[in-house]
Amino acid sequence: MTEAITAAGLVKRFGKVTALDGLDLHVETGEVHGFLGPNGAGKTTAIRILLGLMRSSGGDVRLLGGDPWSDATALHRRLAYVPGDVTLWPNLTGGEVIDLLGRLRGGFDARRKADLLERFQLDPRKKGRTYSKGNRQKVGLVAALSSDVELLILDEPTSGLDPLMEEVFREVIAEEKRRGDRTVLLSSHILSEVEVLCDRLTIIRDGRTIETGTLADMRHLTRTTIQAELAGPPDGLATLAGVHDFQLDHDRVRFDVDTEALEPALQSLVKVGVRSLVSQPPSLEELFLRQYQKDER
Amino acid sequence: MTGTGQIIRLILRRDRIILPLWAVLLGLVPAGYVASFESLFPTDAERIDYATVSASNAGFVTLYGPLHGSSLGELVAWRAGFLPVIAAICALLTVVRHTRADEDAGRTELIGAAAVGRYAQLAAAVITTCAGGVLLGVVQTAAMVGQGLPVEGSLAFGAEMILTVFVFAGVAAITAQLTSGARGARSIALAVLAVAFALRVGGDTSAIGDGSTSWLSWLSPIGWVQHLFPYGVNSWWPALLALAFTAALAGLAAVLLARRDFGSGLAPARLGPASAPRSLGSPFGLAWRLHRGLLLSWTAGFVLLGLIFGGVGGSVLDIAAGNQELSDIFNRLGGSDALADSYFAGIAAIVGLIAACYAVQAALRLRDEETTGHAEMILSTAASRYAWAGSHLFFALLGPAVVLAAEGLAVGVTYPQGNLGEILGGVLVQLPAVWVLAGLAVLAFGLVPKLSGLAWAAPAICLLILLVGSTLQLSQWFLDISPFTHTPKLPGGDLTALPLVTLTLVAAVLTAVGIAALRRRNIPD
Ligand SMILES: Nc1ncnc2c1ncn2[C@@H]1O[C@H](COP(=O)(O)OP(=O)(O)OP(=O)(O)O)[C@@H](O)[C@H]1O
Ligand SMILES: [Mg+2]
């Protein structure tokens, strides 16, 4: 399989600030790739380098087989980008912006535009200044998704969208994925958002790639938090391998458990009898905490 | 109003350089006039002669206002007659910057969420601006008293500036409520100032003629403050008028603020087309949409200027023809043709400088587009950086040609006895100088984008040279800094190609270097 995006050892400095410090990112053609990192990790900076808006201070980067800096305009015909904070011209309507961006990219599908407008429940006749944050984001998304391009680069695309619209967004991306000929790079700082959509993900922190692979590959990093109300005392659970931060308060327990130890832990709960149970998937922050601990060891 | 104090401190911190800069600099300008008048016209007789000619010279009256005496103080105060306009610009820009521009940027929302009253932001912006005005007035009064001029006159002179700042802070406080963006708020406030200036000019120039429309000056706040006549009658009651007007403006602004929603103007937003017209499909198509309003309003403004200047030119020469004493003076100065020529040549330089402000404003739209994030979106499409920058520069470079031509043609309408070709030529030869200033803006934008605003220093310096250059006997190299010093003085002077070609080349190099730097740098930076 060919790679749509290849970045190796990417470095970007802004004066004394090092925003990217040897970032690696490999996105295969046709996949939906999650690009995860906490605030300030360097996601937007990396994307701007991929778009030829910024020049890297070091490392190699290829986009759709070309050099993003020197072949920018030719490559841009083949991709669509939605910035993290879509700003619109105050006097242009949303519909005008969608058409303008589509034409500047070299063509768009009017039927697809109409369909997306309907699904995102967006009124294209409003002037740019009167849209809310979420609606501005929708304008950017409709413009990108109705363009006939090979690669979509979406920087925190769901920021500002309400849960209903997030769901619509997920459906649309899932359809794109089924089409199979489009590559999507999707940045986010919310793990649960990308894990349902993405084939693979790359996690960065402080400008460096710390993990890359499928979510299954990363399970070893993750722990689930379990809270339960029990019928009796849970014998031996506290000392079970893979159970951490065990807390017991009368009949309530709370602990973190490694993915590999999930099954024996649940079995020992079931043995005493479970009245209620809440399990939380690992958040990105916890994942990083794990990573820190791993680094320190 | 709770929290006003904190916001004032915040504004003072953000403006700790720019606010004292304009207040003190403007306050010190008239001090230079004192020295130059003393050295140019050391005796009473010479001053009376100069005052007699100047008081009926429509070009001077247009720029500086009416002149009723010949004492040193009166001459200085009169010669400083354009300063209130500049002070007004500083005042309204400051108020809009700390109200509407902040609101657009979302900073007001941050502050608004903290425990501050609804009116705190507006009150703080107006109070701080007015404090800047007071500083300006105090510096000016102190400088004048320091030069040995009478105290009461100096107080009235300082009050002129303070009151102007007050009134236009009030105007901007209102326009900041009317529109749904900082740019609109600034444009309307500047338009109000332009109308105030035009009314003053209409009234004052009529007063030196048949006086039929001299009442127009009383419709203009700038007219009011000039009727204090510092060092002459020192009439204080127009000050009360200006103060009452300011209070009314501030009250109205508060009412409007209470009636509108955050982030929007009073006028309800209307729906537009659901899809783009065919013309909106290229960087140029977009630039046309973004620049056409600006081009249209500047053209309208320049037509108005041309009509006024043309009309004034005509009426003055008529008066001169009917007045033996005046025509004697004019004949000594080179005859009425020469007088008309020098008047229109002088006007051309001023008009050229104003057109340069338009050029800089249009060129800096590029920076606006960058900081708002629009550039990032456009440049992520197949549009190249050259196409994007070029589409905006098309308007920055050719827009001034349109407005200058419009001004020249408008002069022809109200001054039909003139040679239209020469008058038009006189304004159009300013273009290369305008382009140099536009080129500087492109250079700043390309090389030091964060400091793009510095491009405004160029027209400011040229204006300073224009304002003080002829009175202070400054060394030639200082005058030579301004490209407008080098443009041929038409009508009347010689049309030489060399300075025009040189200026155009300089402008081309500045622009090219700016664009080349833009190609190499980060966007956004
Ligand atoms: N133009 C710039 N000049 C200086 N520093 C910058 C610039 N742009 C980004 N940075 C710095 O680079 C780092 C990475 O920023 P970036 O915007 O890429 O992060 P991000 O991962 O997109 O964060 P977020 O999730 O908040 O959007 C930050 O520390 C930021 O302060
Ligand atoms: Mg970001």
Side-chain angles (χ1 to χ4, degrees), chain A residues 37-45 47-48 81 83-85 155-156 187 189:
Chain A
N39 292 130
K43 304 179 293 290
T44 301
T45 305
I47 288 175
R48 284 176 175 158
Y81 164 57
D85 190 2
D155 193 1
E156 307 202 16
S187 96
H189 55 258

Side-chain angles (χ1 to χ4, degrees), chain B residues 113-325:
Chain B
V116 295
R118 174 173 193 115
Y119 302 100
Q121 180 82 28
L122 179 65
V126 171
I127 290 172
T128 320
T129 308
C130 290
V134 171
L135 174 65
L136 160 57
V138 168
V139 167
Q140 183 165 307
T141 301
M144 289 292 117
V145 173
Q147 298 261 15
L149 289 171
V151 174
E152 191 186 358
S154 302
L155 282 172
F157 192 23
E160 238 187 63
M161 298 304 239
I162 297 178
L163 293 168
T164 310
V165 168
F166 280 15
V167 168
F168 283 92
V171 168
I174 289 180
T175 63
Q177 316 307 321
L178 295 180
T179 60
S180 49
R183 194 175 298 132
R186 264 193 295 264
S187 309
I188 299 180
L190 284 169
V192 171
L193 175 61
V195 169
F197 185 73
L199 287 170
R200 202 228 80 208
V201 170
D204 292 348
T205 49
S206 157
I208 58 173
D210 60 5
S212 58
T213 53
S214 59
W215 50 271
L216 283 175
S217 304
W218 289 104
L219 298 180
S220 164
I222 300 181
W224 303 341
V225 300
Q226 291 193 339
H227 278 79
L228 265 74
F229 288 123
Y231 305 106
V233 289
N234 288 327
S235 153
W236 284 98
W237 69 266
L240 293 179
L241 190 60
L243 279 179
F245 188 57
T246 306
L249 290 174
L252 181 59
V255 171
L256 294 177
L257 173 64
R259 285 184 48 180
R260 72 178 179 91
D261 291 329
F262 181 84
S264 62
L266 278 178
R270 261 170 292 150
L271 293 179
S275 50
R278 271 250 270 265
S279 57
L280 186 60
S282 63
F284 183 81
L286 176 63
W288 165 243
R289 279 293 289 272
L290 300 179
H291 281 270
R292 66 181 182 192
L294 201 63
L295 177 63
L296 211 69
S297 42
W298 277 92
T299 308
F302 270 64
V303 166
L304 191 70
L305 271 183
L307 293 175
I308 293 175
F309 286 144
V312 166
S315 70
V316 172
L317 297 169
D318 288 350
I319 301 160
N323 180 323
Q324 190 55 48
E325 202 178 319

Side-chain angles (χ1 to χ4, degrees), chain A residues 2-6 29 61-68 71 75 78 150:
Chain A
T2 52
E3 282 187 351
I5 297 172
T6 311
T29 303
V61 56
R62 304 288 291 171
L63 179 90
L64 300 173
D67 177 342
D71 309 331
L75 293 175
R78 301 161 60 192
E150 299 163 41

Side-chain angles (χ1 to χ4, degrees), chain A residues 114-131:
Chain A
D115 175 50
L116 287 166
L117 282 177
E118 169 137 2
R119 291 172 71 177
F120 279 111
Q121 293 170 17
L122 180 70
D123 183 347
R125 294 168 305 162
K126 281 185 162 183
K127 293 278 166 82
R129 59 167 169 270
T130 61
Y131 282 115

Side-chain angles (χ1 to χ4, degrees), chain B residues 222-492:
Chain B
I222 300 181
W224 303 341
V225 300
Q226 291 193 339
H227 278 79
L228 265 74
F229 288 123
Y231 305 106
V233 289
N234 288 327
S235 153
W236 284 98
W237 69 266
L240 293 179
L241 190 60
L243 279 179
F245 188 57
T246 306
L249 290 174
L252 181 59
V255 171
L256 294 177
L257 173 64
R259 285 184 48 180
R260 72 178 179 91
D261 291 329
F262 181 84
S264 62
L266 278 178
R270 261 170 292 150
L271 293 179
S275 50
R278 271 250 270 265
S279 57
L280 186 60
S282 63
F284 183 81
L286 176 63
W288 165 243
R289 279 293 289 272
L290 300 179
H291 281 270
R292 66 181 182 192
L294 201 63
L295 177 63
L296 211 69
S297 42
W298 277 92
T299 308
F302 270 64
V303 166
L304 191 70
L305 271 183
L307 293 175
I308 293 175
F309 286 144
V312 166
S315 70
V316 172
L317 297 169
D318 288 350
I319 301 160
N323 180 323
Q324 190 55 48
E325 202 178 319
L326 274 178
S327 53
D328 281 352
I329 296 173
F330 287 166
N331 282 332
R332 252 184 286 137
L333 290 172
S336 80
D337 266 2
L339 188 83
D341 284 354
S342 73
Y343 169 73
F344 284 111
I347 293 296
I350 296 166
V351 171
L353 185 51
I354 303 176
C357 292
Y358 167 39
V360 170
Q361 186 188 13
L364 290 187
R365 271 310 286 270
L366 281 167
R367 179 63 184 165
D368 277 359
E369 288 288 285
E370 182 180 2
T371 51
T372 49
H374 300 153
E376 187 172 349
M377 241 166 15
I378 294 299
L379 294 176
S380 74
T381 71
S384 72
R385 293 187 183 198
Y386 297 126
W388 171 66
S391 66
H392 285 271
L393 291 184
F394 179 85
F395 291 93
L397 298 177
L398 294 187
V402 172
V403 302
L404 284 174
E407 196 272 351
L409 293 173
V411 167
V413 171
T414 46
Y415 186 69
Q417 62 270 48
N419 179 335
L420 185 60
E422 285 185 358
I423 291 171
L424 204 54
V427 284
L428 286 179
V429 291
Q430 308 297 325
L431 260 184
V434 171
W435 289 337
V436 169
L437 266 56
L440 279 172
V442 179
L443 185 74
F445 169 65
L447 277 182
V448 281
K450 290 195 184 75
L451 303 177
S452 297
L454 276 184
W456 285 109
I461 290 169
C462 293
L463 177 67
L464 202 70
I465 290 175
L466 195 74
L467 282 180
V468 300
S470 51
T471 49
L472 289 180
Q473 284 144 340
L474 295 169
S475 47
Q476 188 61 34
W477 70 261
F478 182 67
L479 301 180
D480 281 345
I481 295 174
S482 169
F484 294 94
T485 306
H486 305 282
T487 53
K489 305 289 168 278
L490 292 179

